Amino acid sequence: MLKKKSISAGKASLVLFLCQMISALDVPLDLSQPPTITQQSPKDYIVDPRENIVIQCEAKGKPPPSFSWTRNGTHFDIDKDAQVTMKPNSGTLVINIMNGGKAEAYEGVYQCTARNERGAAISNNIVIRPSRSPLWTKEKLEPNQVREGDSLVLHCRPPVGLPPPIIFWMDNAFQRLPQSERVSQGLNGDLYFSNVQPEDTREDYICYARFNHTQTIQQKQPISVKVFSVDSLNDTIAANLSDTDIYGAKPVTERQPVLLTPTGSTSTKVELRGNVLLLECIAAGLPTPVIRWIKEGGELPANRTFFENFKKTLKIIDVSEADSGNYKCIARNILGSAHHVISVTVKAAPYWITAPRNLVLSPGEDGTLICRANGNPKPNISWLANGVPIAIAPEDPSRKVDGDTIIFSHVQERSSAVYQCNASNEYGYLLANAFVNVLAEPPRILTPANKLYQVIADSPALLDCAYFGSPKPEIEWFKGVKGSILRGNEYVFHDNGTLEIPVAQKDSTGTYTCVARNELGKIQNEVQLEVKDPTMIIKQPEYKVIQRYGQVSFECIIKHDSTLLPTVIWLKDNNELPDDERFLVGKDNLTIMNVTDKDDGTYTCIVNTTLDSVSASAVLTVVARPNPPFDLELTGQLERSVELSWIPGDENNSPITNFVIEYEDGLHEPGVWHYQTEVPGTQTTVQLKLSPYVNYSFRVIAVNEIGRSQPSESSEQYLTKSANPDENPSNVQGIGSEPDNLVITWESLKGFQSNGPGLQYKVSWRQKDVDDEWTSVIVANVSKYIVSGTPTFVPYEIKVQALNDLGYAPEPSEVIGHSGEDLPMVAPGNVQVHVINSTLAKVHWDPVPLKSVRGHLQGYKVYYWKVQSLSRRSRRHVEKKILTFRGNKTFGMLPGLEPYSSYKLNVRVVNGKGEGPASPDKVFKTPEGVPSSPSFLKITNPTLDSLTLEWGSPTHPNGVLTSYILKFQPINNTHELGPLVEIRIPANESSLILKNLNYSTRYKFYFNAQTSVGSGSQITEEAVTIMDEGKMAMASRQVDIATQGWFIGLMCAVALLILILLIVCFIRRNKGGKYPVKEKEDAHADPEIQPMKEDDGTFGEYSDAEDHKPLKKGSRTPSDRTVKKEDSDDSLVDYGEGVNGQFNEDGSFIGQYSGKKEKEPAEGNESSEAPSPVNAMNSFV
């Protein structure tokens, strides 16, 4: 059995395709068939009275149908009305209104009938009504005078139009009046005020009605509204009453909600299935009530419920019977609530369950027409045959009516007819035409031959086989021209002939054959299927976070079938990319330059081919510094604290981590902002500690990972009350600038630290352990006070206290200062020097009495200098050096001394004023040390076996020189060092001739000086003895090369290779036979010189005599390593350049080797011999 499958509602693409296929079951137009209505005007047809009326009625059939019309149930004779014409080959009526006709004269119910010899089809009843846009009736509108806070309704009452007009309110300037929760327009067009305010006063409340069908707008007369405030109302009453009258309007009072519409506590609403349900509640009250909707005993339908007009209107789309029930609106404000229940009943005009479908039967077949509809109330089903009620239609013995079904048995050709099913109830009707066509036709395949279908792998393939035949043909499918019938679960065979391959693979590609057969014949058709590789995005765009004004790129790299041409489209938030040059679309990427906040969103890469489409999306998050906070507010103001609150600005996609609070003191430092505190980013209030007598302003800065926001606008100013100072000056010091004064200094208080006006300082002092009473002075606007006439360097107790007009600060703490210092009076005594080595000495001294220091002891200074070098009597400029030893230290080290020298030193005590007198000079000497390197070493006068050395004495002998040490050794060509020779030279010598050296030899020399302490650092030089003559030097180099291992190995390899070559040549020459050498010479007077073969060491060969073409350089022997008989592999022509030798008839060689002489290299290393076979071989090595 073939597997049949109905069209699945879950496969949208298949449904669309297969629904299109259903038309393939229609009767071809070249066959007889009853009429079918193909186009008609809507049932309720509202026309523009200024334009011609066109009532459509189109039908098809064979033979072509004729048309007739009824109007209001009676025949409409169009021939008798000059204003009415029917289009050729059509049933469409055109009523000429523009040439004098009146649209109102043609109102009515029209019905079209299309008829041919096989039946008659009828249209719906088409109700023609001209649209109307009447003017407003004139009425006298009184001004509306309303007390502030009361409710108000401005009635529109538009004229009744067809269709109903669209209502809106505007002013004289044609500007829409603003609406809100307080003021809004109802569904009936009235304007409702929940409570009026003084700003509602105006004289141009105008209701407009727009009639879309005629494109006209009608205007109501302006309505005036005047709102009286309580204060103005009291003034008016007072002006009209005497002083003895009691008068006064009540103040505006808050009121609980009252519903303005609908009225009462309950109401009902009937709506038809599939329509939009609109329920409305508008309430009065002060404050303005808020509306909430609920459904009693259930939930509001998800995805179909919407709230409009500030939640005053509940909108449910596509209602069904399940939406029936009680809906409650609740209006609430702070004083109470009001509610209204609307009972909703959903009725239904008839709707199809199964509409009758055309029936094609062959003579003798059976069939049924089914007409099933539903509605609320349930519709009545009635049948007509060719437009006539079936009860009075001509009888047909093959027909039987059974309620909503007509049963046909053993039909004959005369059974052909058009049947109409009418389903109606009080809310409407449905009318459907379905014909019964009795035909005897062999199968036809309507799908074009060799139609090509292309699908993507792993997706469904639908191969069409639209057919017709009567009786209905059986359909079979084959793969390939001679393939077997297709069966099994991998295929689905649809009733309309379509073959479905649910999951097409690459091997599904090929030719498919559809065969249609019935009892009258058989026909087949071939279609082609190509399965393509799917399009894939192998590199998808990725989520990106980018800072504002940065650059970002999204990648979209694709892979696709080579026969398909993809197109790539980029979308932003499912819309086209902005028309902005900052967006650069490349082959496989999208780049956005200079990113802004508007670029934030989802970017989608869509790849389309003719067969498939793939997409990938990524989100771009644009981050930036946060926007500044706003709405700063100060609350809870106290003398020493205040609460600051603010509203954060937009964090710009990067969470706020903290807020920084700064303050400005407008009293003392206007324009200067100081850090106050900071709080976490989740906090928007902070309690701030304040200081007295400061005019505070605050601002807040938001911080996120990107950076700091701009500062917020400053808060209101807050001036704190004055108070005594809370603190005293800091960093109080007493230091004398002269031996007889005391300078007292301090850091002044900041302006906000003064706590009040009149800031001053009370400066107090007394000599420590001498005075009992304090001496005080009050100063202002200074941070220093000088006390004169003090003893030299004595301690004082000092304190500085702040005060202002309200009093003193707390008692300050005391500090110890000293009067001015003077220079020390005594030099250190008992200075001793201990020489440790030639460059280091240690000095000792006795401390001076503290009283003689006359100041703060800072330390001791040691002055020392070199008097002379003991090895040289010449004097030079004396440079004194100074070492300072901090504190009361009584010894120190003197580094960096020169050996074998005489030094002097003295010691001085140091205080804050300066240095005291120097101690007597102390003389000490340093011992000998090792000398420095000789000042130079020159090597001159080279000969075959001697070199002359000259040198200079050390720059720093550091003692008495005892001798010089000379060491030297030869260096060969590979830079290897030979044996080391050492010579000791008297200290008074300055040159030396070294003899008995090797000629043409490089020597390295090491030279240094000695004292009794030891040897100094050495100096090095290199020199070479001269050569005897050029040949000797060359011979020496040749001998050196010949003794190298690599050269010996190379020569052995060359000799072995030549020996093997000669043996091979000898064996081949003695094999017998004659070589046509002479012929080859004649044919190749100047043959190309062939290189030696790389693979087997043999030489190149001449070309075959038959082709008379010389071989190219680098030609090789045949792959089987055989040599042709006529080839001469042992020819010596190839050994060298320009060979003039000759050969005997048997191929033996006669004559001399000759060759062009090579130019002798400059180094003389190359041989000047003529090239021999050995030399030729060497050239290849």
Side-chain angles (χ1 to χ4, degrees), residues 425-437:
N425 66 11
E426 60 186 283
Y427 298 107
Y429 74 93
L430 294 173
L431 178 68
N433 290 277
F435 64 66
V436 175
N437 196 14

Side-chain angles (χ1 to χ4, degrees), residues 261-446:
T261 184
T263 58
S265 60
T266 62
S267 60
T268 60
K269 172 81 172 180
V270 176
E271 191 57 78
L272 292 182
R273 178 181 184 271
N275 287 354
V276 176
L277 174 64
L278 293 174
L279 304 179
E280 179 181 58
C281 275
I282 300 177
L286 185 67
T288 302
V290 176
I291 305 297
R292 186 167 66 92
W293 290 89
I294 61 172
K295 183 180 182 183
E296 293 182 344
E299 298 290 335
L300 295 174
N303 303 323
R304 294 189 293 117
T305 301
F306 303 91
F307 298 100
E308 297 179 345
N309 197 20
F310 309 97
K311 293 191 175 181
K312 299 174 187 179
T313 301
L314 171 65
K315 177 181 178 180
I316 302 176
I317 63 174
D318 192 23
V319 294
S320 64
E321 289 86 341
D323 294 322
S324 297
N326 292 332
Y327 292 82
K328 179 188 284 188
C329 69
I330 304 169
R332 186 184 303 277
N333 67 10
I334 59 176
L335 298 182
S337 64
H339 68 271
H340 184 92
V341 176
I342 306 173
S343 179
V344 174
T345 302
V346 178
K347 298 290 186 178
Y351 56 91
W352 289 120
I353 295 176
T354 304
R357 296 180 60 181
N358 294 337
L359 194 59
V360 178
L361 300 173
S362 64
E365 278 192 315
D366 301 336
T368 58
L369 287 179
I370 300 174
C371 176
R372 290 178 185 160
N374 202 357
N376 187 9
K378 190 171 182 63
N380 295 318
I381 303 295
S382 61
W383 288 96
L384 297 88
N386 295 325
V388 178
I390 201 164
I392 61 175
E395 290 190 5
D396 182 351
S398 66
R399 177 182 71 208
K400 178 183 177 182
V401 178
D402 184 9
D404 60 5
T405 305
I406 301 179
I407 303 171
F408 297 92
S409 303
H410 304 289
V411 296
Q412 301 301 318
E413 187 173 353
R414 66 177 178 273
S415 299
S416 296
V418 182
Y419 291 87
Q420 290 82 33
C421 173
N422 186 301
S424 61
N425 66 11
E426 60 186 283
Y427 298 107
Y429 74 93
L430 294 173
L431 178 68
N433 290 277
F435 64 66
V436 175
N437 196 14
V438 181
L439 294 172
E441 286 292 328
R444 297 184 181 191
I445 293 181
L446 308 178

Side-chain angles (χ1 to χ4, degrees), residues 518-535:
N518 65 10
E519 61 190 36
L520 301 178
K522 169 186 171 183
I523 191 171
Q524 69 180 39
N525 186 38
E526 294 179 359
V527 295
Q528 308 296 324
L529 174 63
E530 292 182 357
V531 181
K532 307 289 187 179
D533 291 326
T535 305

Side-chain angles (χ1 to χ4, degrees), residues 57 62 64 172 301 454 487 576 601 682 685 696 767 796 957 989 1076:
C57 181
K62 183 69 180 293
N172 276 331
Q454 295 179 324
R487 304 177 187 276
E576 292 184 0
T682 56
T685 60
Y696 281 100
Q767 188 173 345
Y796 280 85
E989 297 291 338

Side-chain angles (χ1 to χ4, degrees), residues 756-996:
L759 177 64
Q760 295 178 305
Y761 302 101
K762 180 181 178 181
V763 183
S764 304
W765 69 92
R766 67 182 178 185
Q767 188 173 345
K768 190 174 184 300
D769 300 329
V770 176
D771 297 334
D772 292 332
E773 300 295 328
W774 291 88
T775 302
S776 300
V777 64
I778 294 178
V779 297
N781 300 322
V782 295
S783 59
K784 179 174 69 172
Y785 183 76
I786 300 176
V787 180
S788 302
T790 63
T792 301
F793 196 67
V794 295
Y796 280 85
E797 294 175 323
I798 304 168
K799 59 183 180 179
V800 179
Q801 185 178 22
L803 67 152
N804 62 18
D805 291 350
L806 279 75
Y808 285 87
E811 184 67 23
S813 58
E814 301 172 7
V815 297
I816 301 299
H818 288 80
S819 57
E821 299 180 71
D822 206 348
L823 294 176
M825 296 185 298
V826 178
N830 193 23
V831 177
Q832 302 291 330
V833 178
H834 172 60
V835 177
I836 297 175
N837 57 39
S838 61
T839 60
L840 180 66
K842 184 176 183 180
V843 58
H844 293 262
W845 62 87
D846 291 339
V848 299
L850 289 179
K851 289 186 177 180
S852 68
V853 176
R854 296 201 294 181
H856 295 287
L857 175 63
Q858 295 186 353
Y860 294 87
K861 286 187 178 180
V862 176
Y863 286 75
Y864 65 101
W865 63 95
K866 179 179 175 181
V867 178
Q868 68 177 16
S869 173
L870 298 180
S871 58
R872 297 176 182 174
R873 298 304 177 186
S874 60
R875 293 184 174 271
R876 60 177 181 175
H877 173 70
V878 175
E879 179 184 355
K880 290 187 176 182
K881 297 181 181 180
I882 305 173
L883 286 178
T884 300
F885 300 93
R886 299 292 178 185
N888 57 359
K889 198 170 184 180
T890 58
F891 66 92
M893 307 298 290
L894 305 181
L897 303 177
E898 294 185 11
Y900 205 53
S901 299
S902 176
Y903 282 88
K904 286 185 178 181
L905 64 77
N906 59 51
V907 183
R908 310 176 193 194
V909 66
V910 182
N911 66 10
K913 188 72 173 178
E915 300 175 4
S919 65
D921 291 347
K922 188 72 174 179
V923 178
F924 67 95
K925 297 179 181 179
T926 56
E928 286 187 85
V930 296
S932 63
S933 61
S935 57
F936 67 88
L937 174 63
K938 293 193 300 183
I939 302 174
T940 59
N941 301 326
T943 64
L944 285 174
D945 60 352
S946 67
L947 293 169
T948 300
L949 280 66
E950 297 178 358
W951 61 87
S953 60
T955 306
H956 302 285
N958 295 336
V960 178
L961 295 181
T962 58
S963 62
Y964 292 101
I965 302 297
L966 173 65
K967 299 177 183 179
F968 63 94
Q969 57 189 148
I971 306 174
N972 64 17
N973 290 339
T974 60
H975 302 286
E976 295 176 350
L977 298 175
L980 187 66
V981 178
E982 180 176 329
I983 301 175
R984 184 177 296 273
I985 304 170
N988 58 352
E989 297 291 338
S990 60
S991 63
L992 175 67
I993 298 176
L994 281 178
K995 298 181 179 180
N996 298 323

Side-chain angles (χ1 to χ4, degrees), residues 200 244 317 403 525 636 1048:
D200 296 328
T244 59
I317 63 174
N525 186 38
I1048 295 173

